[in-house]
Amino acid sequence: MTELQVERVSSVILSRPPDAPDSIIVRVSGMVSSAGWTEPKLTPLDESLTNSSIRIYSFVATSPEMPEETSVEAPVETELQVDGLPPEVKTIRVVSATNAISAPIVQ
């Protein structure tokens, strides 16, 4: 069982929690290459540090121990609340194994 990037990011939706206006909730959906993946999550990438206006996350999940022979793509989703986001961060970018989606932060 290994933590790997999911196959594809399908959508990135940003919202602000009503009780925490300085925070942002990142909701992400995507596809994995087979059923049985667990623990989908967003992990911050260090590349974010080179450009202060973009925060980059890798969309990862734990792969099944024995992938099924007849692998059919399966949907996966997760969300992350980011607290104390600096005001200069204008974009959230989520990367997967095959693509990336950026979403602008609406102030």
Side-chain angles (χ1 to χ4, degrees), residues 50-82:
T50 58
N51 183 341
S52 62
S53 70
I54 300 175
R55 192 61 63 87
I56 305 172
Y57 294 92
S58 181
F59 190 9
V60 298
T62 302
S63 66
E65 230 171 284
M66 294 296 294
E68 297 175 24
E69 292 293 320
T70 56
S71 62
V72 176
E73 283 192 334
V76 65
E77 57 186 31
T78 190
E79 75 175 45
L80 172 71
Q81 181 166 325
V82 182

Side-chain angles (χ1 to χ4, degrees), residues 14-87:
L14 307 181
S15 61
R16 291 200 185 270
D19 57 341
D22 291 340
S23 300
I24 200 150
I25 295 174
V26 184
R27 286 187 182 85
V28 181
S29 63
M31 299 298 281
V32 289
S33 54
S34 63
W37 289 66
T38 57
E39 299 179 38
K41 63 183 179 184
L42 297 173
T43 58
L45 290 178
D46 292 339
E47 288 118 56
S48 302
L49 303 175
T50 58
N51 183 341
S52 62
S53 70
I54 300 175
R55 192 61 63 87
I56 305 172
Y57 294 92
S58 181
F59 190 9
V60 298
T62 302
S63 66
E65 230 171 284
M66 294 296 294
E68 297 175 24
E69 292 293 320
T70 56
S71 62
V72 176
E73 283 192 334
V76 65
E77 57 186 31
T78 190
E79 75 175 45
L80 172 71
Q81 181 166 325
V82 182
D83 297 316
L85 197 63

Side-chain angles (χ1 to χ4, degrees), residues 81-94:
Q81 181 166 325
V82 182
D83 297 316
L85 197 63
E88 64 268 15
V89 176
K90 305 293 185 208
T91 303
I92 299 290
R93 184 171 176 82
V94 178

